[in-house]
Amino acid sequence: MGFIDVIKERAKANLKTIVLPETEDRRTYEAAAQILKEGIARIILVGSEEAVKKGGEGLDLTGAVVVDPATSEKTQGYIDKLVELRSKKGMTPEQAREILLNQYLYYGVMMVKMGDADGMVSGACHSTADTLRPCLQILKTKPGTKLVSAFFLMVVPDCEYGADGTFIFADSGLNQNPTPEELAAIAKSSADSFQLLVEKEPVVAMLSHSTKGSAKHADVDKVVEATRIAKEQYPELKLDGEFQLDAAIVPSVGASKAPGSEVAGKANVLMFPDLDAGNIGYKLVQRLAKAEAYGPITQGIAKPVNDLSRGCSAEDIVGVVAITSVQCQAE
């Protein structure tokens, strides 16, 4: 059974309610139909009955709950709550009503905030910034988490590295150029996410173009410092660096370049030094190795809300909904 099949089975064991607000996109309906058919989650679609009927034409959406912000009896409560949450920013009832009736991502996040949905998946036709903005404004960060970050869960076919070809690549979706302190915090969040989703011990490699001092540069210094901070703050983690990619995942190279390291050659959680490296890295592996890439999965938000790549397929949305459901189970 493949990784995502295991995740789906875990999702089915304790059904959660996931809101899909992007009802202007056909992929949303195709994914919803498959999710309902497989019994992975309960689904809420945000939009008018007429628009949803038209958008889902030809698909079996039996069981999906359609919520129209213009007519829902709960909309006024959401307006009042949004005003309360954003009053210090000058939010008025009129502005809140305008936002919630016209920006379905905000409406979906309010459903999660108010407990009417367990999680949300969006991003098929919105940028990461558009997806995460309402989350950060309304849901805030999870208690004890220093920052929100994002990762891709990569499943590489016929791969002997990582956890049978399964890796987390972080941060590959959100933080442009994290400081050493932020990089260390992202490493901790990513290790926790790996443990939750893959159910195997996370082995975290802090990546660089240098291995254990083989190169000298300020960029290397950042990773060295991040490794020091992470080891100091999270001594329970199996974490080391700085490593070049091959030293991190290939046992023979790891033994040669970093003898004595318990991480070298065994890593399954790959920490990239910045967003450029993380984003390029996951897309290379996805396209050239034909890997399954699920994400960007967010971590550190108070409730599970996940982003999608705008190039995603309906099948990708199904996978991210299953992952979001498992995150909801852990709340």
Side-chain angles (χ1 to χ4, degrees), residues 220-286:
V220 178
D221 295 341
K222 180 177 90 165
V223 178
V224 171
E225 178 64 5
T227 303
R228 184 194 67 76
I229 293 169
K231 285 184 172 183
E232 183 179 283
Q233 294 188 348
Y234 315 110
E236 74 282 3
L237 286 185
K238 191 174 282 188
L239 176 150
D240 201 6
E242 86 284 10
F243 294 133
Q244 293 160 297
L245 187 279
D246 55 355
I249 67 170
V250 181
S252 60
V253 178
S256 171
K257 291 188 174 184
S261 171
E262 64 176 356
V263 170
K266 303 170 187 172
N268 48 39
V269 177
L270 304 181
M271 294 302 308
F272 291 85
D274 57 39
L275 186 57
D276 284 340
N279 190 272
I280 292 166
Y282 103 76
K283 288 182 184 291
L284 273 171
V285 174
Q286 179 186 25

Side-chain angles (χ1 to χ4, degrees), residues 31-49:
Q34 185 176 338
I35 291 161
L36 294 165
K37 181 181 179 181
E38 294 187 37
I40 296 167
R42 292 183 288 265
I43 293 296
I44 296 173
L45 297 169
V46 182
S48 69
E49 291 277 358

